[in-house]
Amino acid sequence: MPDSPSPRSDPAADRARLVARLGELLGPRGLLTEPADTAPYGEDWRRLYCGRPLAVARPADTAQVAAVVRACMAAGAGVVPQGGNTSMVGGAVPAADGSEVVLSLARLNRVRAVDAIDMTLTVEAGVTLKAAQQAAAEADCLLPLSVASEGTAQIGGILATNAGGNNTVRYGNARDLVLGLEVVLPDGAVWNGLRRLHKDNTGYCLRQLFVGAEGTLGVITAAVLKLAPRPRAVELAFCALPSCAAALALFRRLQARDPAALQAFEYMSGAGVELVLRHIPGAALPLAVPSGHYALVELATPRPGAALRAALENVLEGALADGLVTDAVIAGSVAQHAALWRLREAQAEAQKRAGANVKNDVSVPVSKVPELIARASAACAALLPGIRIVPFGHLGDGNIHFNLVQPEAMDPADFLARGDAIMDTVGAVVRALDGSFSAEHGVGRLKPHLMPAWRGGAELATMRRIKAALDPLGLMNPGKVLP
Ligand code: MLT
Ligand code: ZN
């Protein structure tokens, strides 16, 4: 069957023809069409959106991805690339009208190469971040990217959304780790840019165009990632603090001591840790007395004999003496290390279990984090008495998840109906502090309406021109990023 639209427009018949064509291209293992099979691909992790895929294409290799994209373009059907479907902003859900094909990258799950001399890892888009980390570790290297959803999130989505996570303070965001990409473009052409070069100054940096574009410019099918030396020593401390300002002061002391060793500096509110203790089985506070503020500090180094533990103890003793820290525990075993990280990583899950949430994935200059938390907390409490204010996140890079959970007795739908007002309230503080309305989760389907106010003028106009040049039919992940 040719890849061309039917002469007379009959949407239902066109869609049926497209599904049949995809079946021919992919075979029975490569295409899901039964509603019971496709439904999980229509819903996002937060259950904000309930889309209905026309079908779910599950290609096995890059050539099949290209064939799917060509067939969808020819049929005028939207293509929604999807990795682990862990987006916080509905970035991978299809429309509800059953017109769009979900393109799952899950079967492109091969580690193509790992090279400990070049310090590179070449992986396909459907490899989970955790599997990629393991492949790097087997070569005695570190893939220095870590996010709460790493067991499920896939490299393609991690790159398409320019994920940040816990180690940005030291290694940067996903885009800082990409040396090369393979991308299926909206016209079905395959760009093989899988170069393993640490230096390559040859015109426009195309790979960075696709990183963070959230699948609106093409489909990432494979990547070359930059590896780091594997740490020989890691130390982790969980600290109680009297204020967020004290957390910033502790961060500065650690930076002053050995900036190259600071691998994560995460902030948690007392209310957020309480929710974890209440809703996550097995979670326990490792300190005698609860606090209003906590920090999780991770130091790591590949240098042998760096005496990290002594350095950490030394900084913490000084901070305790000066009242910046009221109590602290240093992980004494692998199990305790995991349990302390769990208090941080389970924040979003605990909040989900506690009721309806509004998330504000915002960033401000690092020095402004205490002011952000104080001002936004006061504004939200005034807007909606009883609202549960549970900010947490990556203080070391200025990215705070200023999340809010519904008041205990409120109807979840009523709370979500106030979502825009809550986001605007937090947004006003973020704007006053020269911040961003989306630090690491992207724009997805949740936030395109904010783009004109935050990224309008020449910036948004240029983005629109790029989109029109690469995807003139507007069929790559429709409705995401651009308003
Ligand atoms: C995290 O850092 O745990 C996530 O980005 C989750 C969230 O924003 O809720
Ligand atoms: Zn985060």
Side-chain angles (χ1 to χ4, degrees):
M1 191 180 289
D3 282 344
S4 58
S6 59
R8 259 167 286 120
S9 179
D10 172 356
D14 287 347
R15 288 175 193 176
R17 261 192 292 273
L18 173 60
V19 172
R21 175 72 180 132
L22 293 175
E24 286 168 14
L25 291 170
L26 301 172
R29 269 199 74 201
L31 190 69
L32 306 176
T33 54
E34 288 301 319
D37 297 329
T38 61
Y41 296 82
E43 200 176 61
D44 63 313
W45 184 83
R46 294 178 63 187
R47 303 213 178 92
L48 290 179
Y49 301 101
C50 193
R52 188 162 60 84
L54 170 61
V56 176
R58 301 179 71 251
D61 56 30
T62 303
Q64 285 195 346
V65 173
V68 169
V69 169
R70 269 195 301 272
C72 290
M73 292 293 147
V79 180
V80 180
Q82 191 178 101
N85 200 11
T86 58
S87 173
M88 295 282 184
V89 290
V93 285
D97 64 2
S99 65
E100 296 172 0
V101 172
V102 170
L103 173 51
S104 165
L105 281 303
R107 289 175 72 206
L108 275 76
N109 59 0
R110 284 161 290 253
V111 173
R112 291 194 191 166
V114 53
D115 193 313
I117 296 175
D118 293 338
M119 300 293 276
T120 57
L121 175 69
T122 307
V123 280
E124 296 184 348
V127 173
T128 63
L129 176 53
K130 197 164 198 79
Q133 290 166 347
Q134 272 157 6
E138 279 159 26
D140 204 28
C141 295
L142 175 75
L143 174 58
L145 189 73
S146 170
V147 301
S149 58
E150 62 200 22
T152 312
Q154 298 170 8
I155 291 297
I158 289 277
L159 297 180
T161 58
N162 183 29
N166 304 331
N167 302 142
T168 301
V169 62
R170 171 124 159 230
Y171 299 103
N173 295 296
R175 76 162 73 256
D176 299 302
L177 304 175
V178 181
L179 294 178
L181 279 189
E182 180 186 83
V183 178
V184 172
L185 299 166
D187 65 1
V190 178
W191 170 49
N192 184 340
L194 287 175
R195 293 189 281 266
R196 292 179 293 143
L197 306 173
H198 293 270
K199 284 188 172 174
D200 176 22
N201 241 349
T202 48
Y204 302 141
C205 187
L206 291 188
R207 68 182 186 278
Q208 294 297 358
L209 200 54
F210 298 101
V211 176
E214 302 185 36
T216 61
L217 300 178
V219 186
I220 295 171
T221 49
V224 181
L225 303 173
K226 190 159 56 170
L227 302 178
R230 195 171 175 203
R232 299 279 166 248
V234 180
E235 296 290 349
L236 182 70
F238 182 85
C239 312
L241 309 126
S243 64
C244 186
L248 179 64
L250 177 64
F251 171 69
R252 293 186 58 191
R253 286 189 181 195
L254 288 156
Q255 258 195 331
R257 172 79 193 220
D258 186 356
L262 189 54
Q263 175 157 285
F265 191 102
E266 298 284 310
Y267 169 82
M268 285 155 281
S269 67
V273 169
E274 244 174 68
L275 288 185
V276 173
L277 300 176
R278 196 182 327 161
H279 294 283
I280 303 297
L285 189 69
L287 306 173
V289 183
S291 174
H293 308 266
Y294 299 97
L296 193 63
V297 176
E298 191 168 78
L299 304 184
T301 178
R303 277 178 288 134
L308 267 197
R309 169 65 76 108
L312 182 57
E313 283 171 354
N314 184 267
V315 172
L316 290 178
E317 276 160 19
L320 277 158
D322 297 342
L324 292 179
V325 168
T326 53
D327 198 2
V329 59
I330 296 178
S333 66
V334 173
Q336 200 183 8
H337 186 103
L340 294 182
W341 262 113
R342 186 104 186 98
L343 292 170
R344 159 63 187 86
E345 297 287 43
Q347 293 275 321
E349 181 63 35
Q351 291 167 14
K352 190 175 172 185
R353 293 184 193 185
N357 304 186
V358 172
K359 287 183 191 285
N360 296 277
D361 165 42
V362 299
S363 58
V364 292
V366 177
S367 59
K368 301 285 184 197
V369 168
E371 196 179 340
L372 163 74
I373 291 183
R375 286 173 62 176
S377 297
C380 289
L383 181 75
L384 183 56
I387 193 167
R388 286 176 282 173
I389 301 165
V390 285
F392 68 98
H394 320 291
L395 186 151
D397 63 44
N399 172 201
I400 294 296
H401 301 299
F402 198 90
N403 291 3
L404 300 131
V405 180
Q406 63 169 95
E408 301 250 14
M410 194 171 183
D411 182 72
D414 291 344
F415 179 69
L416 290 177
R418 306 283 301 272
D420 281 347
I422 296 168
M423 281 168 75
D424 289 349
T425 300
V426 176
V429 178
V430 172
R431 191 180 267 280
L433 297 175
D434 293 330
S436 170
F437 70 99
S438 182
E440 64 172 5
H441 293 171
V443 178
R445 193 157 139 192
L446 185 64
K447 300 182 182 175
H449 66 286
L450 298 175
M451 289 290 274
W454 290 78
R455 295 290 176 262
E459 194 168 353
L460 187 53
T462 305
M463 289 190 208
R464 286 191 193 283
R465 271 190 231 135
I466 292 169
K467 171 75 174 170
L470 287 182
D471 180 24
L473 301 177
L475 293 174
M476 286 306 310
N477 210 5
K480 317 300 187 328
V481 184
L482 299 178

